[in-house]
């Protein structure tokens, strides 16, 4: 069962509205906009979490980011066919 919905009136630039409408597909503009807003809320929540973590532990260095990206890349290679864990 889906969450209850409400009807809202929003204002946005016409070119953005038309582009969203063209891309919305069979689910419709409302679903497309709702998904975009949900993604933005997730990003806002992540940014808040980052600010709290950086306030407590200090900012993440470029080197730490590179090291974590390398670890993620290696893990993804091992999960894909032909990677280190394939038979």
């Amino acid at each position: 069962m889906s969450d209850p919905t409400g009807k809202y009136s929003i204002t946005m630039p016409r070119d953005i509205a038309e582009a969203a409408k063209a891309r919305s597909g069979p689910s419709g503009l409302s679903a497309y906009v709702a998904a975009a807003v949900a993604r933005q809320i997730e990003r806002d929540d992540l940014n808040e979490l980052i600010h709290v973590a950086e306030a407590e532990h200090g900012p993440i260095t470029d080197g730490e980011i590179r090291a974590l990206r390398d670890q993620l890349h290696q893990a993804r290679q091992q999960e894909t066919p032909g990677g280190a864990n394939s038979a």
Side-chain angles (χ1 to χ4, degrees), residues 8-37:
Y8 302 92
S9 175
I10 62 169
T11 303
M12 70 174 77
R14 181 170 282 128
D15 59 334
I16 293 173
E18 292 301 321
K21 191 174 180 181
R23 289 170 174 79
S24 63
S27 61
L29 182 59
S30 291
Y32 188 86
V33 171
V37 171

Side-chain angles (χ1 to χ4, degrees), residues 46-71:
L46 286 171
N47 281 331
E48 287 177 26
L49 181 62
I50 290 167
H51 290 307
V52 168
E54 286 184 338
E56 186 173 334
H57 304 286
I60 299 172
T61 67
D62 289 341
E64 290 170 323
I65 291 171
R66 279 192 299 275
L68 290 170
R69 282 187 178 150
D70 289 345
Q71 287 177 11

